Amino acid sequence: MTSLTSLIHSTICWRILKGVWPLPQSFTISSERYPLNPQAFYFAYGKQSAAQEGCSVLDEAFKRYFSLIFPDYISGRFYSEAIFILYALRVSAGQASLKAETVWGALRGLETFSQLVYQEDFGSYFVNKTEIEDFPRFQFRGILLDTSRHYLPVRAILKTLDAMAFSKFNVFHWHIVDDPSFPYQSRTFPDLSAKGAFHPMTHIYTQSDVRRVISYARMRGIRVLPEFDSPGHTQSWGKGQSDLLTPCYRGSTPSGTFGPVNPALPSTYKFMATLFKEVSSVFPDSYIHLGGDEVNFSCWKSNPDVRAFMQKMGFGTDFTKLEAYYMENIVNITTALNKTSIVWQDVFDYHERIPKDTVLHIWKGDPASYEAELSRITKAGYRVLLAAPWYINHISYGQDWQKKKIHIPFTGTEEQKKLVIGGEVCMWGEYVDATNLTPRLWPRASAAAERLWSDEKQTSNVDKAFPRLQDFRCKLLRRGIQAEPLFVGHCKHEYQGV
Amino acid sequence: MTSLTSLIHSTICWRILKGVWPLPQSFTISSERYPLNPQAFYFAYGKQSAAQEGCSVLDEAFKRYFSLIFPDYISGRFYSEAIFILYALRVSAGQASLKAETVWGALRGLETFSQLVYQEDFGSYFVNKTEIEDFPRFQFRGILLDTSRHYLPVRAILKTLDAMAFSKFNVFHWHIVDDPSFPYQSRTFPDLSAKGAFHPMTHIYTQSDVRRVISYARMRGIRVLPEFDSPGHTQSWGKGQSDLLTPCYRGSTPSGTFGPVNPALPSTYKFMATLFKEVSSVFPDSYIHLGGDEVNFSCWKSNPDVRAFMQKMGFGTDFTKLEAYYMENIVNITTALNKTSIVWQDVFDYHERIPKDTVLHIWKGDPASYEAELSRITKAGYRVLLAAPWYINHISYGQDWQKKKIHIPFTGTEEQKKLVIGGEVCMWGEYVDATNLTPRLWPRASAAAERLWSDEKQTSNVDKAFPRLQDFRCKLLRRGIQAEPLFVGHCKHEYQGV
């Protein structure tokens, strides 16, 4: 016995059978439709295209999208060639042309085209006459996975990368280590995972695992942003690296427990320089995430050596100065490695003197407070990344995808607006592992994806968005993504993989 | 960035490596352990046992539990015989004896034994010296699945039956049809699914599907309780059966929409008698669920024929009298078929004159209100089934399994307590289909299972229960059930089936 309201939406949800998610910036589709013959269909690079055969990203993408476009088409010859100039898609009789400035734009256009093709009941494929010009609203559209609170098998990560590409996400923020476990197998410090992982063999990411994730992501136009969060959130680091964490004291004797990284020892910075040198070479992306959030001062305060260091440095009893000193050192290490640092907002909150090209990552609080933080940080001239509205691990009963479509708040100047580089959907791992990751993430994250890609004015009405998202969710199922339902109803091809 | 509290539990959760969920009524385990050799292990029926080889339920169970007990044991000869007397389990050197009064008790005992066997790191199997006497607190321990709001493939239902047996649930309440769709393929009224299902071929349950579910359930000691809910919740019935639903009127003309089943027409009762005759033979269980909840009177009120019938019957304008009249007729139909009727509490609320052996099913409201209802109904001498505390489709962030372990309220006499036959976990389908059913149901439903099976005094402390449930959840994973994590941590064998 549940309420009768069930029916209200389920009747709506079949009206729009075609559609693109996230919505393109400009989109004209006519009722005139053309049949597509898988035998005759092929991609070809344009004569004047800079990209030609041998461009692995597109050659691979053509293969991938051929089977996404024709899901039940088995064999048949295949040309990996196509026409390019910018990301504009024009579907006309006998030919579709896709013009993009970059191969990454071309990837997005292929995704769009694949969503335009549909199958009628007898199985033949159609696409309508269509004109699309498209570009992302924000350059940074990320998803965070937390592989420390629960270990995620590599295949679960790859599956997520597939689904990310379908929603046009372009950054995988890999929160790879944290307090509970250290699954990253370091070349220079193998003990970190040997002693800090949940299991030294079955619950780690080897160097080749990481390479596999990075190249799989690259092929889908997704960059991999690694996070090695310190000085807090490092309990698991201490198991494999002695003298790294601060020994906490009870009165005048060590209590046997440990706090954040010890900022008073030169050995700490030597260790971090070596670790980040490795990380910078393993993860080619120009961004690196340094964390810097939620540092608890009580252990530092309890430790006599730390207090002595505070005096020596003239910090008095202001532990935010010590925290700032530590973060400054870490940021300088990664800057020397030609990386752009991203840190959580905490670093700005306690310390406004940080290198100008550092990106601040907003994760705290309700709309009122992150809106205020957004303008404070941009007023100070820093670039920001917004995560606070999209903590997707927080679930509630009902159609909570609507909350993920939240308006991106802003009261600042045009200059300030330019400093907002994008947003991120965070799937923290307290209650999530491979058993429930996919249905919890999809299609809920797709709601945020549209906010980050599309024109907010065209996409803010959730009732209009509902049938398109319902249809997109069925496409995800058809593509093997275990995406949960939005509401009462069904898909032509239900999930079978129980 | 999420809070540091993550660690607090994750350290606890490996202390107890052995344990039984739900907790037996009396359980003595010693540290003395015996190795088990899969080559030499076998089940044997006791000489004096009433059950002997050829008892299919136990012969099959022995096969099943052999591989549950020795998960990585491949081939090897196998004896399907065992020793019985009552459900008491005694594990001593070289032999374990299981005594049960019924084969169903023996099934529960096998489940218990399978949970006592553990593997140490080199792969060999052990079981500790153990003495157990066990029995269920309630005779009715159900799970409801809703296959109308979303269609569930048969394999998803079978998977649920496996997991139910692991938690000692014994009733599958199949809410098979409702407003959105009618997937049950009727022999006598094939149009009901041909026109009322989401799809007449891919989204239905054939007669052989139903037989398969019933026999699969029986082999695991689970009865199948079918629900055909009327007069409300029947929108989908109307598509395949004309003149069954009440035409709603706007003023003096039909509006084109339909309301609940039409109680004014003799044809309605003829149809129901034929349908329930079929249902009674297809579903052998002695219980049948007739629904009777959430009837909206507005359509009946709008219909002149219904109003005329009210006058003729002397109901005046009291539509609860009409509803009572309808339910009385339906209950009489099923009574004549030798079935015991279960109806939702609504039927009691508007109508106290119902056959005394009818079971009332409480689903409404907060603890205060269902506790009051519980004593009202039992005071009137009816048996009740409690579902209200276990609407497991309602999710919230965090460790909400704790809420499912809710105390079963009672203020009545001993006589009244005896009338509470059990409880039921309801998984309504608005937001659930095969993509998210299993992780949403398990291990959360197992918390309720312990409340329904075990001694409340021994099991009400959630902190004590946590590590046992954490361990049980890992057993579920090991057995191929995609059960979600309770909190930060890991299992030796993680879910791999992405």
Side-chain angles (χ1 to χ4, degrees), chain A residues 199-438:
Chain A
H199 186 287
M201 302 308 298
T202 60
H203 289 62
I204 61 168
Y205 301 106
T206 63
Q207 291 290 317
S208 75
D209 288 336
V210 172
R211 273 195 303 276
R212 184 158 170 229
V213 167
I214 291 170
S215 72
Y216 195 91
R218 178 175 170 278
M219 283 298 175
R220 286 150 183 79
I222 297 168
R223 40 208 294 188
V224 178
L225 166 66
E227 176 178 0
F228 285 78
D229 187 353
S230 76
H233 292 277
T234 49
Q235 288 294 306
S236 66
W237 304 40
K239 297 181 180 157
Q241 184 68 16
S242 53
D243 303 331
L244 178 64
L245 303 186
T246 309
C248 311
Y249 276 62
R250 197 181 296 101
S252 58
T253 53
S255 68
T257 66
F258 294 88
V261 165
N262 190 336
L265 299 177
S267 58
T268 292
Y269 302 100
K270 197 159 161 301
F271 165 81
M272 290 292 179
T274 316
L275 178 66
F276 280 113
K277 187 162 187 295
E278 171 184 331
V279 169
S280 302
S281 66
V282 171
F283 294 89
D285 201 81
S286 65
Y287 284 121
I288 189 165
H289 204 299
L290 303 177
D293 57 296
E294 295 185 309
V295 182
N296 178 334
F297 293 150
S298 57
C299 183
W300 280 351
K301 285 178 179 162
S302 78
N303 182 298
D305 305 337
V306 171
R307 286 199 306 270
F309 182 75
M310 296 275 290
Q311 293 311 316
K312 196 182 107 208
M313 301 297 291
F315 297 158
T317 58
D318 181 353
F319 283 84
T320 65
K321 287 206 171 68
L322 179 60
E323 189 172 5
Y325 166 85
Y326 173 82
M327 287 311 292
E328 222 166 327
N329 277 276
I330 301 302
V331 169
N332 292 340
I333 286 169
T334 51
T335 307
L337 294 161
N338 301 317
K339 298 286 183 177
T340 303
S341 303
I342 304 180
V343 293
W344 297 107
Q345 70 185 86
D346 314 48
V347 176
F348 176 83
D349 297 345
Y350 60 69
H351 174 49
E352 306 210 355
R353 266 184 38 256
I354 28 181
K356 269 280 177 278
D357 73 333
T358 310
V359 177
L360 279 307
H361 201 162
I362 299 182
W363 65 275
K364 286 183 186 173
D366 51 58
S369 60
Y370 60 71
E371 180 162 359
E373 184 80 354
L374 201 53
S375 40
R376 262 199 307 280
I377 295 176
T378 51
K379 183 167 278 147
Y382 292 96
R383 289 176 298 167
V384 311
L385 193 54
L386 187 64
W390 300 296
Y391 263 37
I392 205 148
N393 52 303
H394 292 157
I395 53 172
S396 59
Y397 188 60
Q399 296 210 34
D400 74 345
W401 64 274
Q402 299 177 350
K403 301 181 194 145
K404 308 302 168 201
K405 250 178 157 304
I406 186 156
H407 158 76
I408 294 175
F410 220 94
T411 50
T413 65
E414 281 312 308
E415 281 318 300
Q416 286 177 269
K417 289 197 172 114
K418 290 205 188 70
L419 292 169
V420 182
I421 64 173
E424 190 170 82
V425 170
C426 298
M427 181 60 91
W428 294 104
E430 281 85 350
Y431 305 102
V432 174
D433 70 6
T435 61
N436 56 359
L437 171 65
T438 305

Side-chain angles (χ1 to χ4, degrees), chain A residues 1-7 10 144 146 148-151 153 155-156 159 175 178-180 198-199 202-203 227 229 232-235 293-294 296 344 346 363 391 393-399 428-436 438-440 473 477 481-498, chain B residues 1-7 10 144 146 148-151 153 155-156 159 175 178-180 198-199 202-203 227 229 232-235 293-294 296 344 346 363 391 393-399 428-436 438-440 473 477 481-498:
Chain A
M1 277 304 21
T2 69
S3 98
L4 267 163
T5 59
S6 316
L7 274 191
S10 56
L144 175 149
D146 169 3
S148 174
R149 289 174 177 83
H150 285 100
Y151 176 80
R155 57 202 293 195
K159 202 58 153 169
H175 188 84
D178 202 305
D179 286 316
F198 283 133
H199 186 287
T202 60
H203 289 62
E227 176 178 0
D229 187 353
H233 292 277
T234 49
Q235 288 294 306
D293 57 296
E294 295 185 309
N296 178 334
W344 297 107
D346 314 48
W363 65 275
Y391 263 37
N393 52 303
H394 292 157
I395 53 172
S396 59
Y397 188 60
Q399 296 210 34
W428 294 104
E430 281 85 350
Y431 305 102
V432 174
D433 70 6
T435 61
N436 56 359
T438 305
R440 223 169 252 224
R473 180 253 169 178
L477 281 192
I481 305 300
Q482 196 178 338
E484 69 180 16
L486 295 169
F487 198 54
V488 174
H490 77 290
C491 295
K492 187 175 171 188
H493 303 278
E494 299 285 5
Y495 174 73
Q496 295 295 340
V498 185
Chain B
M1 293 324 359
T2 69
S3 98
L4 267 161
T5 59
S6 316
L7 273 191
S10 57
L144 175 150
D146 168 4
S148 174
R149 290 175 177 83
H150 285 99
Y151 176 80
R155 57 201 292 194
K159 205 50 153 171
H175 187 85
D178 202 304
D179 287 315
F198 283 132
H199 187 287
T202 59
H203 288 63
E227 178 178 358
D229 187 353
H233 292 276
T234 49
Q235 288 294 306
D293 57 296
E294 296 185 310
N296 179 335
W344 297 106
D346 315 47
W363 65 275
Y391 263 37
N393 52 303
H394 293 156
I395 53 171
S396 59
Y397 188 60
Q399 297 209 33
W428 294 106
E430 280 86 349
Y431 305 101
V432 175
D433 70 5
T435 61
N436 57 357
T438 305
R440 223 168 251 224
R473 180 252 169 179
L477 281 192
I481 305 300
Q482 196 179 338
E484 70 180 15
L486 295 169
F487 198 55
V488 174
H490 76 290
C491 295
K492 187 176 171 188
H493 303 277
E494 299 285 5
Y495 174 74
Q496 295 295 340
V498 185

Side-chain angles (χ1 to χ4, degrees), chain A residues 93-141:
Chain A
Q95 159 163 321
S97 80
L98 171 60
K99 305 173 178 183
E101 281 183 340
T102 66
V103 293
W104 315 120
L107 283 182
R108 308 299 168 224
L110 283 169
E111 174 58 37
T112 301
F113 179 71
S114 73
Q115 292 187 24
L116 291 172
V117 177
Y118 56 99
Q119 233 175 334
E120 43 89 289
D121 291 347
F122 298 109
S124 40
Y125 295 95
F126 290 91
V127 63
N128 288 39
K129 186 173 195 300
T130 310
E131 303 254 339
I132 289 176
E133 281 200 1
D134 204 6
F135 53 87
R137 178 181 178 194
F138 293 105
Q139 56 159 289
F140 190 115
R141 305 176 304 279

